[in-house]
Amino acid sequence: MVDIVGRMGWKYISILYEESNYGIKAFEELEDLLATKNICIAIKEKLVKDSGVAGEHAYDSIVAKLLTKPRARGAIIFGSDQEVAGVMRAVRRANATENFSWIGSDGWSARNLVSDGNEVEVEGTLSVQPQANPVRGFEEYFLSLTVENNKRNPWFAEFWEAHFQCHYPNSSRTPYNQNFPGTCTGQETLTKENMAFEGQLQFVSDAVMAFAHALRDMHRDVCHGRHGLCDAMKPTKGTELLRYLRKVEFEGLSGDNFRFDPQGDGPARYNIIHFKQVSQGVFRWVRVGEYWEGELRLNMSEIQFKLGHPQPPESVCSLECELGQAKKYLEGESCCWHCFNCTQYQIRHPTDETQCQLCPQGTVPDQRHTKCEPIPEEYLRADSGWAIGAMAFSATGIVVTALVAGVFLRHHDTPVVRASGRELSYILLLGIFLCYAMTFVLVLKPSDIVCGLQRFGAGFSFTVVYAALLTKTNRISRIFNAGKRTAKRPSFISPRSQLIICSGLTGFQVLINAVWMVVSPPSAVHHYPTRDDNLLVCSSSVNASYMISFSYPIVLIVICTLYAVLTRKIPEAFNESKYIGFTMYTTCVIWLAFVPIYFSTANNIAIRITSMSVTISMSATVTVACLFTPKLYIILVRPERNVRQSMMPVRYSAVRGPRHQSISGPTGVTSSVVGAGNLLGVLPPNHGMESGSHSDAGHSTNAANNHSSTSKQLTTRGTQTLNCVNNAEKHVTINNTTHTMGNGPQYVQAVDRPLQETDL
């Protein structure tokens, strides 16, 4: 019966049971079994055993209680035919015919007492009936019996009299046969036409056979084959007989195998019968299935609870919640609840239907809110428009950088290239190339290795560029600051020294990156700035720790910018500092614009990475444009200026004008010569100021004579002649001694100061 309820999909039913051992035991068993199936009992009511005791009002009261739970349309009735008939009449009086569908026990199934006159109320009932097959040979045997050949049965004569409505000769008078009109002749016969056999004879037969097999087995074991009862079976012990009875197994007279299950019950074999309206106004009990030893076989196509309505009615307290909803149970009810929707990022808990569960980061509910699905990874793909644009820009920059490097290598020994500081220029071009190349690393799919390359390369490429620029600007500043104080050349301004300084500045960045990678190894992680995002990024971009990589280059940029400001008034012929200044100012503007863009696009990985790569490439482009374009112009467009004489205008090649004239007198002044090579537009000198041979004196003297209109001899305490010759070796005659100032143009700075004895 519980399986039938489950097959109907009912979760909320009522139970009416007979107030007898049969009904009470059945209710207790039903209550336990229904609980295991999560089926709730809405109403449970007892039926008075004797219908003569309970009046119609008692049944009306029961039906009224059933109607208080209108959603419990399914009801099990465990009772006898008389009590169930009373319930059906009460249902008709309450006009509740359409409100209930019944599951009946074998106590009233297929009983005319219930269905006759109550067809509409009983319609749709599903009932169980013990399955019994005919006992083979019993019908023929019974039809052959007469009073004369069946004297061993003292009640058979009474049966004969009642069946044929006559008084058998020589039989005793009873209250039942005294009113029979005739006398039995003995010629009456039992036939199939005037006999109706009980359909449950198999159970009687199986019960008798079970005892017979148990007694036989017990006799065999106890009496050891002796005929008749032995002393050990006088009397027969019930507990011993029960032990043998539980173990019997045989084929009954009906042909079915019989055995008891572990609970001591016989085989569970039932027919499922259904009271249906086969046609308009015609009702009939029909077999629609069977229950065979624990398995329910039900032909649902044959079931109809009302004519033309094959679907079973709903019998639930609350409808199942929709997908994505959880239950809130009503107080005191285990089958009644309200449904509430889970939120946008929640699904119903897989094991607790009363709770919603928040999807983990990186996942969102599916459309039905039944499971969490991963959000597709989002990263800048190399085939996207953003990446293609950034790579095209960088590729163009790499080509330009390669062309510049090619031009410098082809004109390696020309004055312009030498004046630029070849070694630092090549390092600068290498850094520019690395800046452009970083774009191709940034657009790769993040992985631990790619993140390591990004972390190292972003800062290192800038460091190479600005370490070279800082070395240049620092050298320019030191040379001109020293020239104001003394004629002695500054230290560490040779090409080798410059390379060592630049390498040291770059090595510090390498050390920073090495320590950083040990403390916090690079890794690709999933970043969830919002619930709908699943960004595959490098860990450094999540917590802005990229600033560790950029912090040192930023320091170099700031220092370079300060040097560019400090050297901005250097004369025009030495204007590389001016171009470096343009480079640094533009770089600062670019990065000041980049920072807010970078931090405001955390949710758009494509724009964020593209902005970083373009910013790096633009910084490299500014450096190429400002520092190398003037040199390329001279080398490629104005090659006639790529000679030493053109590296310094005439006004800077010798002492000029009234401001630089030597003045004689008691407080006369002299002029000091300061070397200041390796400036933008001038050749890199050897920076040595050494005493040279007197053989060059004539050369210097002739040069001085060419400017006799603007030079005067000192007559008081000595003679000092200043001159700068723009060739590979410059000589200055001081106190009749020739001094070599190195290869490359020198800047001659006139300084007014009292004439010293050392000048003589």
Side-chain angles (χ1 to χ4, degrees), residues 4 7-8 124-126 272 274 276 286 288-289 298-306 309-312:
I4 294 173
R7 185 67 63 87
M8 296 300 107
T125 297
L126 284 167
I272 310 300
H274 179 46
K276 62 185 292 188
V286 295
V288 294
L298 205 58
N299 185 2
M300 294 297 295
S301 63
E302 289 292 327
I303 298 175
Q304 65 172 29
F305 287 85
K306 298 296 178 183
H309 295 83
Q311 294 298 323

Side-chain angles (χ1 to χ4, degrees), residues 203-354:
F203 299 108
V204 178
S205 172
D206 288 341
V208 173
M209 293 289 290
F211 270 93
H213 280 80
L215 288 169
R216 185 194 65 184
D217 295 340
M218 184 178 180
H219 182 271
R220 182 186 63 240
D221 295 341
V222 175
C223 299
H224 306 291
R226 289 180 54 188
H227 293 288
L229 293 179
C230 59
D231 294 338
M233 293 185 67
K234 295 179 180 178
T236 300
K237 296 180 180 179
T239 54
E240 285 295 314
L241 180 59
L242 179 60
R243 185 168 61 87
Y244 283 97
L245 193 61
R246 288 182 178 275
K247 296 188 295 182
V248 297
E249 186 172 353
F250 57 90
E251 181 180 318
L253 298 178
S254 61
D256 295 327
N257 292 325
F258 181 90
R259 67 178 180 276
F260 290 105
D261 64 17
Q263 288 74 38
D265 296 322
R269 299 166 184 166
Y270 293 91
N271 288 323
I272 310 300
I273 58 177
H274 179 46
F275 191 72
K276 62 185 292 188
Q277 191 173 182
V278 295
S279 61
Q280 189 67 39
V282 179
F283 297 87
R284 186 178 303 158
W285 287 99
V286 295
R287 182 177 181 272
V288 294
E290 65 179 358
Y291 185 84
W292 186 268
E293 297 186 2
E295 181 183 359
L296 177 64
R297 302 167 185 170
L298 205 58
N299 185 2
M300 294 297 295
S301 63
E302 289 292 327
I303 298 175
Q304 65 172 29
F305 287 85
K306 298 296 178 183
L307 184 63
H309 295 83
Q311 294 298 323
E314 287 184 342
S315 185
V316 294
C317 181
S318 300
L319 296 176
E320 283 296 322
C321 294
E322 297 180 359
L323 297 175
Q325 293 183 330
K327 298 177 180 179
K328 182 179 181 181
Y329 284 93
L330 300 181
E331 186 176 357
E333 295 282 357
S334 59
C335 288
C336 302
W337 57 79
H338 294 304
C339 297
F340 64 93
N341 293 322
C342 296
T343 61
Q344 180 181 0
Y345 299 107
Q346 290 181 332
I347 61 171
R348 189 166 72 180
H349 198 283
T351 58
D352 187 357
E353 59 186 7
T354 64

